[in-house]
Amino acid sequence: MKESAISAEPRINDRIRVPEVRLVGPNGEQVGIVRVEDALRLAAEADLDLVEVAPQAKPPVAKLMDFGKFKYEAAMKARESRKNQVNTVIKEIKLRPKIDQHDYDTKKGHVVRFLSAGDKVKVTIMFRGREQSRPELGFRLLQKLAEDVAELAFIESAPKQDGRNMVMVLGPTKKKAEARAEDRRRREAAKASKAAPATQAAETEAPAAEPAADEAAN
């Protein structure tokens, strides 16, 4: 019960109530074991905080740092991590085991688009009636799709029966951030290529310079 009440934040400055600490400098240098009063004095002289980073050690380890900056950077890292987790999307494509080539090509196009954007794809084969007795049809279809998009994906979850369906999950070989960066570069290149002909046309249509006044007089 006592440990559950302890704050998740490290103790800093006057909240560090131990006789001595193993002090680490602001650049990671080992200062050694010093009295906590001396460590607090060094922190004040350097306009930094004394932060307890390893309270379970004997003696506890404390570091000189800008605690406000440390908290801000930690919060930014946590936010970026959450952002990346949210961006991990699973798209779903449903197929019939006896799908015709045209529909297959259309569905495969969707899978390629999702994978190119860095998203996972859950591919579901739906069996109806007597089709349930031919699971190999669905398995072969999933294998074919995996082979067709092998340059963009790997099989994250192998085909498996799930009731009347068969499911496979494809993971993108390209991460979401990489896909977005590549898409941004592609759009910027397209804008640049459109701007270039316009600039050349403007230069071509520019009027020739008028002759100098003395030449006109002649």
Side-chain angles (χ1 to χ4, degrees), residues 1-8:
M1 293 294 291
K2 185 177 180 181
E3 290 186 359
S4 63
I6 297 176
S7 170

Side-chain angles (χ1 to χ4, degrees), residues 4 7 9 98-99 104 112 130 135 146 149 177 184 195:
S4 63
S7 170
E9 278 200 359
K98 295 182 180 179
I99 187 171
Y104 173 81
V112 168
R130 295 181 180 179
V149 298
R184 185 166 58 250

Side-chain angles (χ1 to χ4, degrees), residues 135-157:
E136 69 276 6
L137 294 177
F139 184 79
R140 284 202 294 266
L141 182 58
L142 291 176
Q143 277 191 317
K144 172 178 169 56
L145 179 60
E147 291 171 1
D148 287 348
V149 298
E151 292 185 0
L152 298 171
F154 62 95
I155 299 177
E156 184 172 294
S157 178

